[in-house]
Amino acid sequence: MNKKIKTKAVDHLFQAVLSLESVEECYAFFEDVCTVNELLSLSQRYEVAKMLREKKTYLEIAEQTGASTATISRVNRSLNYGNDGYDMIFERLNKE
């Protein structure tokens, strides 16, 4: 875990996120907290990660998501050398 982001304020934000109970509540909260572009960027990175795990090519991912190759590379680096956060979520969602 990156110690630079481990703060009380970030803990409070994550506790707020964990209290959300539905997709509609997520929309309400995230539309207040994020700009439209921030939210679209987050969702784009998540889609890129899913597609990389599905072994899609950079070209396929770029065409389908509109992500730049720099963004795809950044997400790929997180998948390979990050904290395994994406994989944790993918595993949980696959069980459902």
Side-chain angles (χ1 to χ4, degrees):
M1 179 184 324
N2 186 338
K3 292 181 180 175
K4 291 180 183 179
I5 67 166
K6 181 85 172 117
T7 66
K8 284 186 181 182
V10 174
D11 284 349
H12 293 158
L13 174 64
F14 290 164
Q15 288 299 322
V17 170
L18 290 170
S19 76
L20 298 169
E21 296 179 0
S22 69
V23 172
E24 289 306 314
E25 286 185 3
C26 288
Y27 271 102
F29 179 72
F30 281 98
E31 284 184 48
D32 284 349
V33 172
C34 299
T35 66
V36 170
N37 285 338
E38 289 168 336
L39 192 50
L40 293 175
S41 291
L42 288 171
S43 64
Q44 182 186 63
R45 281 183 237 145
Y46 180 75
E47 291 301 314
V48 166
K50 281 185 3 185
M51 294 176 79
L52 284 167
R53 280 297 182 244
E54 294 167 355
K55 306 293 185 200
K56 303 285 185 188
T57 67
Y58 275 36
L59 182 59
E60 290 173 308
I61 295 168
E63 287 176 350
Q64 292 180 30
T65 66
S68 68
T69 55
T71 296
I72 298 167
S73 292
R74 212 170 310 126
V75 172
N76 195 39
R77 192 168 42 254
S78 291
L79 285 168
N80 292 316
Y81 305 107
N83 296 308
D84 298 324
Y86 282 117
D87 288 328
M88 175 183 58
I89 294 301
F90 296 150
E91 284 178 32
R92 288 181 184 170
L93 292 175
N94 284 335
K95 288 180 183 176
E96 293 177 2

